[in-house]
Amino acid sequence: MSTILLTGGAGYIASHTAVVLQQAGFRVIALDNLVNSSEESLRRVAQITGQAVEFIKADIRDADALREVFNRFAIDAVVHFAGLKAVGESTQLPLKYYDYNVAGTVTLCQVMAECNVKQIVFSSSATVYGAAAEVPIHERAPRSATNPYGQSKLMIELILEDLVAADPSWRVAVLRYFNPVGAHESGLIGEDPNGIPNNLMPFISQVAVGKREQLQVFGSDYPTQDGTGVRDYIHVMDLANGHLQALRYLQKHHGIEAFNLGTGQGYSVLDMVKAFSETNDIAVPYQIVDRRPGDVAVCYADATKARQLLDWQTQYSLVDMVRDAWRWQRQNPEGYRQID
Ligand code: NAD
Ligand code: UDP
C-alpha cells in the first residue's frame, strides 16, 4: 500500500482528496498547521471512509518537523496543498504569501530530496494564466500573474521546473485548478471559509442560509452573455479524483507535466445564482455592484490533456455542485465549529 503525505491535509480540497485516496487503498498522512482549517475535517473523513487519518500538526516551513515526518513514515509521494490563498490579503501581505507558499515549498522540496522522496503533486491554479488572451485555456498558454498569490503559484511552478531540469528523477504533476466548488455528498465535509468568503459559491451558500443579507454581483458589463463574469466551476470530488489519477500517472512517468483541472464549461455568476436557487428551492437575493478590480471576464479550461494523459474526466454536473454545496452549508451552518 502506498503512503501519501498531504500537506495542508485538513483543508477543503485536501480533505476531499483524503476520502478518494483512502477509498482507493492509499494510506493517508495529513500535515497541517491549521492556520485555515480544523482537525475536525479529518475526523469527518474518517467517519466517511471508516479509516483514521494520521494527523500531524506542523508547518511546511519547519524543516525539522518535516524530517521527523519523513523519518517516521515510509512516504511514497506528497500531494502539496499547503498554502495561503486569499488574493486580496496577498496584496496587503505579500511577504507572508511568499513565505508560506514559496519558501514553504522550497523547504518541503529540500527535505523531500534529502529523504529521497521525489514524487509531488502540486496545487496550482488557473490564476497562473493571468488575463488569458484565448479561451478555452490550454496548458501552453502564456503565464503571468496579477497579484502576489498568483505570483507565488507561478514562482513555485518555475521552481519545480528547475528542480526537474537539475534532477530528472523527480516526478512532478502540476495541477491547475479552475474554480473548485461543492462538497462530499455526505454533507460531512466541505468548504469552511474564515470570516467573509472571498469566493462566489460559499458566499451564495451563506446568503441562502441567512448568514449574509445578499450577494454582491461584481459587474454586469463584461462581454459575456448576461454581462457577469464566466468561470469554470468544478465539483471538488472531481478535483479530488484528479489527484488520484495524477498519482497513478506519476507512478509511470518521470519529469514534470502541468494539467488543467476544469470541466471545460463556463458559467456566469447569474447562472450560478439561478442554478443554486432553482435546484435547492431557496432564494438568493443579490445586487449588482461594480466590477472587482483584477477580475477577468471569462476563464475556462481546455481539459483535453488531463482527459488523455491522466485518464480523468469530470462526472459531476452543475446541479450536483450547487446541491452538494447547499447540503454541506445547511447541515453545518457554522462549518466545523461546534454550535453550543
Ligand atoms: P484551504 O485553505 O482549505 O487549504 C490549505 C491548507 O493549508 C489549510 O488547511 C491551511 O491550514 C494549510 N496551511 C497553510 N499554510 C500552511 C503551512 N505553512 N504549513 C502547513 N499547513 C499550511 O484551501 P483549499 O481551497 O483547500 O486549497 C488548497 C490548495 O489549492 C492551496 O494551495 C490553494 O492555493 C490551491 N488552490 C485553491 C483554489 C480554490 O479556489 N479553493 C483554486 C486554485 C488553487
Ligand atoms: N463574484 C461575485 N461576487 C462575490 C464573489 C465572486 O460576483 O461575492 C464573481 C467574481 O467576480 C467572478 C466569479 O464570481 O466573476 C468567481 O469569483 P471567485 O472569487 O469565486 O473566483 P475567481 O475570481 O478566483 O475565479
Side-chain angles (χ1 to χ4, degrees):
M1 179 170 39
S2 296
T3 301
I4 312 295
L5 175 68
L6 307 188
T7 70
Y12 169 46
I13 302 167
S15 54
H16 290 79
T17 304
V19 169
V20 167
L21 293 182
Q22 284 192 328
Q23 288 177 340
F26 290 88
R27 178 175 187 206
V28 174
I29 317 287
L31 178 146
D32 203 299
N33 65 358
L34 301 181
V35 66
N36 196 39
S37 54
S38 144
E39 209 185 322
E40 177 62 17
S41 65
L42 297 172
R43 285 191 280 273
R44 305 274 184 98
V45 169
Q47 213 177 317
I48 294 168
T49 63
Q51 294 168 60
V53 180
E54 191 86 43
F55 175 65
I56 291 121
K57 183 162 189 270
D59 194 299
I60 53 163
R61 295 165 301 164
D62 180 347
D64 287 336
L66 292 179
R67 275 186 203 106
E68 222 178 284
V69 173
F70 283 93
N71 289 332
R72 188 166 145 210
F73 303 99
I75 291 167
D76 296 289
V78 176
V79 186
H80 177 33
F81 296 98
L84 302 177
K85 61 167 185 175
V87 172
E89 188 191 49
S90 80
T91 62
Q92 304 299 315
L93 301 170
L95 295 179
K96 184 174 176 190
Y97 274 67
Y98 293 126
D99 183 27
Y100 276 67
N101 295 3
V102 181
T105 303
V106 170
T107 302
L108 173 68
C109 290
Q110 281 169 337
V111 175
M112 287 176 68
E114 236 176 81
C115 301
N116 205 28
V117 177
K118 295 184 180 176
Q119 264 192 75
I120 183 167
V121 176
F122 170 60
S123 299
S124 190
S125 165
T127 191
V128 300
Y129 296 119
E134 273 179 28
V135 283
I137 304 174
H138 192 276
E139 284 84 355
R140 283 191 306 270
R143 289 174 292 180
S144 67
T146 50
N147 55 67
Y149 167 71
Q151 201 75 260
S152 75
K153 291 291 173 189
L154 183 44
M155 286 179 186
I156 296 167
E157 289 199 3
L158 298 172
I159 289 168
L160 293 172
E161 286 162 18
D162 288 342
L163 185 58
V164 172
D167 177 356
S169 70
W170 276 82
R171 299 160 185 252
V172 182
V174 170
L175 303 183
R176 297 182 183 143
Y177 310 155
F178 280 66
N179 290 60
V181 295
H184 187 264
E185 62 194 5
S186 62
L188 285 169
I189 55 173
E191 186 170 11
D192 183 17
N194 254 331
I196 303 172
N198 295 303
N199 296 111
L200 178 65
M201 272 304 286
F203 206 105
I204 291 179
S205 299
Q206 293 197 3
V207 170
V209 85
K211 279 179 88 167
R212 315 217 170 258
E213 213 172 303
Q214 61 180 1
L215 170 72
Q216 300 201 314
V217 174
F218 298 142
S220 61
D221 56 351
Y222 285 108
T224 61
Q225 208 181 348
D226 61 21
T228 65
V230 167
R231 296 289 183 277
D232 186 335
Y233 298 93
I234 174 170
H235 196 292
V236 65
M237 290 305 292
D238 275 329
L239 198 60
N241 269 310
H243 295 76
L244 170 63
Q245 293 305 95
L247 285 167
R248 288 182 170 149
Y249 174 87
L250 291 185
Q251 286 171 354
K252 296 190 212 116
H253 298 86
H254 289 270
I256 180 164
E257 212 59 70
F259 300 95
N260 286 341
L261 294 186
T263 64
Q265 165 85 49
Y267 290 107
S268 74
V269 177
L270 294 182
D271 287 336
M272 298 306 285
V273 171
K274 187 161 177 271
F276 191 98
S277 51
E278 287 184 3
T279 303
N280 300 314
D281 196 20
I282 187 149
V284 179
Y286 67 86
Q287 173 196 26
I288 309 269
V289 299
D290 286 347
R291 291 182 181 193
R292 182 171 64 180
D295 274 359
V296 298
V298 180
C299 175
Y300 58 92
D302 178 335
T304 314
K305 185 175 173 186
R307 256 203 316 278
Q308 290 177 344
L309 297 191
L310 299 184
D311 189 22
W312 169 84
Q313 49 190 0
T314 55
Q315 286 163 10
Y316 293 82
S317 66
L318 179 60
V319 166
D320 298 327
M321 298 181 210
V322 295
R323 187 201 53 218
D324 294 343
W326 178 230
R327 187 187 297 107
W328 154 253
Q329 179 70 59
R330 201 167 17 101
Q331 291 181 16
N332 306 271
E334 300 302 323
Y336 291 116
R337 284 163 291 280
Q338 294 289 339
I339 315 158
D340 298 318

